[in-house]
Amino acid sequence: MTFQHRSSAWPGDRVAEARAVIADVAHHSDLLIRLACNVLAQHGETQGERADAQRLLLVVDARRPVSRAQREDQGRAAR
């Protein structure tokens, strides 16, 4: 088994990818948008970028049907 070392560019690369997803939300799944929002909420450069990501996450989560949201949230809590 070999281990790959993470490069120091990892956070920067993920933030850049997350920004690309957010810039084109109409062409990405809600799951991918949620992931991008979570990355930007944690690793965004500015407080404004982090706050915007959190707001968009609220909007995307509000679009989920209640029963699906409950199932997904229960699955996360079980981990």
Side-chain angles (χ1 to χ4, degrees), residues 29-50:
S29 68
D30 285 356
L31 177 62
L32 191 55
I33 295 167
R34 268 191 218 95
L35 288 170
C37 286
N38 286 324
V39 167
L40 290 177
Q42 292 179 8
H43 302 287
E45 284 185 23
T46 66
Q47 180 60 34
E49 183 176 41
R50 292 187 296 272

Side-chain angles (χ1 to χ4, degrees), residues 21 25-38 56-57 59-65 68 72:
V21 168
V25 294
H27 293 102
H28 292 93
S29 68
D30 285 356
L31 177 62
L32 191 55
I33 295 167
R34 268 191 218 95
L35 288 170
C37 286
N38 286 324
L56 180 56
L57 185 58
V59 170
V60 172
D61 281 344
R63 296 187 328 182
R64 289 189 297 173
R68 188 172 121 208
E72 289 174 358

